[in-house]
Amino acid sequence: MATKAQLVPDAVQDVVDRQTEQAQQQAADRALEQARERVQQQAEDRVQTQTTEQVLERTAERAQEQATDRAQQQAAERTQQQTAERTQEQAIDRVQSQTIDRVQGQAQAAQDQLQEQVQDQVLDRVQGGQTSRVQEQLLERTEQQLERTSQQLERAGQQLERTQQELESVTGRASDVATGRLLPAVTQSGAEIAQQATQLVRERIPGPSPMASLPDRLPIIGADGSEMFVEVAIAPDIRALEREWVMMLSEAQRDQLIDEAPELMRYLTQTSDLDALDSVVLRFRVPPDLDTNDQLLALVPETMRELIDRNHVYSAQSVQPPDNTHADDGVDDNADRLSTPMRAVCEDPVSVGVIDSMINTDHAAFSRPSDAASVFVSRQFLQDKVDMSSGHGTAVAGVLVGDGRAHGGDLAPLLPGATIYNASVVYSQDVYHQGATVVHLLEAINWMLGQEQVRVINMSLAGPANRLLEQVIMAAQAQNRIVVAAAGNAGPHAALLYPAAYSGVVTGTAVADDRSAYRWAAQGDHVDFAALGVSVPTARGDGSFGRESGTSMAAPVVSAFFACELASGSSPEQARRRLMATAMDLGTTGHDPVFGHGLLHP
């Protein structure tokens, strides 16, 4: 049995062993913790190193992209400079080619038209029981007229030859244009030659028949000889600006389009605000491979596909000579006076909007006492260089407020106290035809809606259906505005024309003084009222008085009646019902597709 002295050292040894073991365990734990910390630190260092490398890599990529962009920009600038050096030479070539083609084509059309007219006169008189002696006299006159025409064509050919020589002279110096050495005097000469060529086409050579079709592709040439834009026929009787599409959106929708349709936004060429409609208009010019409905809609978000359409062209709906000539339009300016002359519908100081060509506001027909209110408030929506006819708008305004009685005529104002708000949107297509694009129609209607006093808007224009035009007209109707449109002059069997065929639009058709239907007037269930529109006395853009025909001349008569009804306190719907009740029924009893609800004549 161990002694007490032996047990003490054993106990001490146990304590020492335990402390040693604990010390070893703590040392091991610390070592393990330090190892873990070192591993974590190494991992963090690697992550930081990788992040730095990624940042440097992205920085390098951005620098490379910026360098590429700068290189592309420099290349584009060089290309643009080279293109600019060729521009004047190309412009000269275009003017020469277009001038020759137009002069030759229009001269031939004039001769063909004259022959057709003479043949028609012969047939008419033969059918009316005239003798062979009358035929001989007419044939003699035919030969005389053809001889005069030949002389005119010969003179025109001489003038064309001189113009070609001048153009060749300018073209011969095209190398100077390309190198930038052309003197200002030479540049001015080229512009003058282009202007002379345009003037030759418009003044010296008769244009095609008013009923002739426009070419499938029609460049619109500015006053300086440059190409402003190009019209194309995209279907029978449907025209639009070449490869141009239009959208009308709210601000939120525009932001959405920017986010969701970046490919389409590449082709954006113009943006304009429509304040009265809380909208913006976006104008696109797309490449040829996207210039179809299916191809283009694939780039548009599905919720916005009803908000885009072509930049369609709408035509003025009357037959009239150009501003600068008294060419025969089939209407005898010295014809007998109207059996029932026009007179004032009302004397109220109404306001009527006229979306049309510019108006010759200096015409004697629009004279008023110096202390009277202004007759016109005008706004121009076309580019300055576009050739703008004043003939059509002046004739429409002449029906509304023109007075020719002091000059020996029977033109009397329908609205002697009216103010006409004229939105000028119409440009010249040739000497007989005028057009307006849907972009300018949208801007014009927006301006009209900003004029609270304008409650009736006259549109003597017609063309194809367009989603945007329909939306704007619906917006105008929602603001209690009445839109009056011409039925159109495409004939009784023509397809529907717009805006006349849109729901709620008041459609006016034309009749002659004997109450017979105008033979070229479009017909359909959408026709609302008839009014005098054949051989109507009115003002002309060149400052003269004359007679014009077409549904364009009937529409302002209908507009005058609606303006007076609204001035009496009627709502748009009440005005429509009152005029339906008072119109003179023509044709079959009740509403019919030829005369609508009947004739409105003051």
Side-chain angles (χ1 to χ4, degrees):
M1 182 174 182
T3 66
K4 189 175 186 179
Q6 292 175 328
L7 294 173
V8 171
D10 291 340
V12 171
Q13 185 63 41
D14 291 340
V15 171
V16 171
D17 291 342
R18 285 195 299 273
Q19 292 177 345
T20 300
E21 184 178 352
Q22 292 174 353
Q24 290 174 347
Q25 182 64 39
Q26 290 174 354
D29 292 341
R30 283 196 300 274
L32 180 60
E33 182 65 26
Q34 291 172 354
R36 288 176 178 171
E37 291 176 353
R38 285 196 298 274
V39 170
Q40 184 176 359
Q41 182 63 40
Q42 291 172 354
E44 292 176 353
D45 291 343
R46 282 198 297 275
V47 170
Q48 184 175 5
T49 300
Q50 292 173 354
T51 302
T52 302
E53 290 174 351
Q54 291 173 353
V55 171
L56 292 174
E57 184 178 352
R58 286 197 296 271
T59 302
E61 290 175 352
R62 285 198 297 271
Q64 185 176 1
E65 290 174 355
Q66 292 173 353
T68 302
D69 291 341
R70 284 195 298 272
Q72 292 175 347
Q73 179 66 25
Q74 292 171 355
E77 290 175 353
R78 288 195 297 272
T79 301
Q80 184 178 5
Q81 182 178 1
Q82 293 170 356
T83 302
E85 291 173 349
R86 294 193 297 269
T87 298
Q88 186 166 355
E89 180 180 0
Q90 293 171 349
I92 292 171
D93 291 342
R94 282 199 305 271
V95 170
Q96 181 181 16
S97 176
Q98 293 167 358
T99 300
I100 294 171
D101 291 345
R102 288 188 184 185
V103 169
Q104 292 176 344
Q106 293 175 350
Q108 182 62 44
Q111 186 171 3
D112 292 344
Q113 181 187 2
L114 178 59
Q115 291 174 339
E116 291 175 1
Q117 290 175 347
V118 172
Q119 291 172 359
D120 288 344
Q121 292 174 359
V122 172
L123 290 175
D124 289 343
R125 295 202 179 187
V126 169
Q127 292 172 356
Q130 297 294 325
T131 63
S132 59
R133 175 58 182 163
V134 173
Q135 297 180 43
E136 293 174 359
Q137 291 175 347
L138 289 175
L139 290 174
E140 290 176 2
R141 293 178 188 174
T142 299
E143 292 176 354
Q144 294 172 357
Q145 290 174 334
L146 288 175
E147 183 177 356
R148 288 195 296 269
T149 300
S150 298
Q151 293 173 352
Q152 292 174 352
L153 291 175
E154 183 178 356
R155 289 195 296 271
Q158 295 172 353
Q159 177 65 30
L160 176 60
E161 184 177 355
R162 289 194 296 271
T163 301
Q164 286 180 274
Q165 292 173 353
E166 292 180 279
L167 286 171
E168 289 171 359
S169 175
V170 175
T171 305
R173 287 172 283 184
S175 59
D176 291 335
V177 176
T179 57
R181 297 194 300 270
L182 188 64
L183 295 175
V186 177
T187 303
Q188 182 180 3
S189 176
E192 290 174 351
I193 293 170
Q195 186 175 7
Q196 291 172 1
T198 302
Q199 194 75 0
L200 171 66
V201 173
R202 295 193 176 282
E203 295 185 3
R204 300 292 298 276
I205 305 299
S209 163
M211 308 310 295
S213 299
L214 293 168
D216 287 347
R217 189 176 189 275
L218 176 65
I220 302 301
I221 306 302
D224 59 353
S226 63
E227 184 179 282
M228 305 302 295
F229 47 84
V230 178
E231 280 186 21
V232 292
I234 58 177
D237 300 322
I238 298 179
R239 303 181 69 83
L241 294 198
E242 188 175 50
R243 306 202 318 266
E244 283 206 12
W245 294 74
V246 185
M247 294 189 79
M248 188 175 71
L249 308 170
S250 66
E251 292 285 354
Q253 288 171 329
R254 178 177 62 176
D255 294 341
Q256 179 187 352
L257 188 72
I258 292 172
D259 292 337
E260 299 182 11
E263 179 69 16
L264 177 64
M265 295 303 294
R266 291 174 50 194
Y267 307 114
L268 179 67
T269 60
Q270 182 184 14
T271 300
S272 56
D273 293 327
L274 302 182
D275 296 335
L277 294 164
D278 294 326
S279 301
V280 293
V281 171
L282 306 183
R283 190 170 177 176
F284 303 91
R285 181 173 172 82
V286 302
D289 60 316
L290 292 178
D291 193 29
T292 66
N293 203 58
D294 292 342
Q295 293 293 331
L296 192 68
L297 289 184
L299 304 181
V300 181
E302 187 172 355
T303 57
M304 298 185 183
R305 291 178 181 175
E306 290 300 316
L307 305 178
I308 189 168
D309 211 332
R310 289 186 182 272
N311 193 4
H312 286 118
V313 174
Y314 294 78
S315 301
Q317 297 299 296
S318 69
V319 177
Q320 60 183 37
D323 291 350
N324 52 15
T325 180
H326 290 282
D328 181 18
D329 63 352
V331 175
D332 182 5
D333 289 353
N334 296 315
D336 294 338
R337 295 178 179 272
L338 298 175
S339 60
T340 307
M342 304 276 253
R343 57 188 178 87
V345 180
C346 69
E347 303 280 345
D348 297 287
V350 299
S351 296
V352 176
V354 173
I355 299 178
D356 213 290
S357 76
M358 62 188 298
I359 297 172
N360 178 3
T361 58
D362 294 328
H363 198 291
F366 305 132
S367 298
R368 282 187 180 175
S370 58
D371 58 346
S374 175
V375 183
F376 297 102
V377 177
S378 301
R379 174 78 179 272
Q380 174 63 255
F381 290 92
L382 292 171
Q383 299 165 270
D384 291 339
K385 295 180 181 179
V386 174
D387 185 8
M388 294 173 285
S389 169
S390 64
H392 194 264
T394 302
V396 170
V399 173
L400 287 167
V401 296
D403 192 341
R405 291 169 295 183
H407 303 273
D410 56 354
L411 172 62
L414 298 176
L415 302 173
T419 298
I420 302 300
Y421 285 75
N422 172 223
S424 178
V425 297
V426 170
Y427 57 88
S428 296
Q429 296 166 309
D430 62 21
V431 293
Y432 280 111
H433 299 86
Q434 300 88 42
T437 69
V438 77
V439 162
H440 295 129
L441 293 181
L442 300 181
E443 294 173 346
I445 295 174
N446 175 74
W447 179 63
M448 293 292 182
L449 296 182
Q451 318 302 316
E452 294 183 1
Q453 61 274 41
V454 176
R455 301 184 63 190
V456 177
I457 301 172
N458 187 92
M459 298 181 67
S460 290
L461 305 165
N466 184 280
R467 301 183 187 106
L468 278 61
L469 180 60
E470 182 178 14
Q471 293 166 25
V472 171
I473 287 179
M474 290 174 62
Q477 293 168 351
Q479 296 186 25
N480 290 321
R481 312 298 177 97
I482 292 178
V483 176
V484 177
N489 300 340
H493 304 294
L496 292 178
L497 294 173
Y498 299 85
Y502 285 132
S503 176
V505 171
V506 178
T507 301
T509 189
V511 298
D513 190 35
D514 63 0
R515 309 294 188 258
S516 61
Y518 178 49
R519 62 175 177 170
W520 296 112
Q523 298 179 8
D525 291 338
H526 63 292
V527 173
D528 291 299
F529 297 99
L532 182 65
V534 179
S535 192
V536 178
T538 189
R540 283 180 169 165
D542 62 356
S544 66
F545 292 87
R547 295 177 179 272
E548 311 295 345
S549 295
T551 56
S552 278
M553 300 298 102
V557 179
V558 178
S559 292
F561 274 90
F562 271 88
C564 291
E565 285 294 331
L566 296 180
S568 69
S570 298
S571 68
E573 187 56 36
Q574 289 171 336
R576 185 187 289 265
R577 288 198 300 267
R578 287 173 59 88
L579 292 175
M580 287 168 54
T582 58
M584 178 188 297
D585 194 15
L586 299 177
T588 58
T589 302
H591 183 275
D592 64 70
V594 179
F595 302 102
H597 297 289
L599 176 69
L600 296 178
H601 191 84

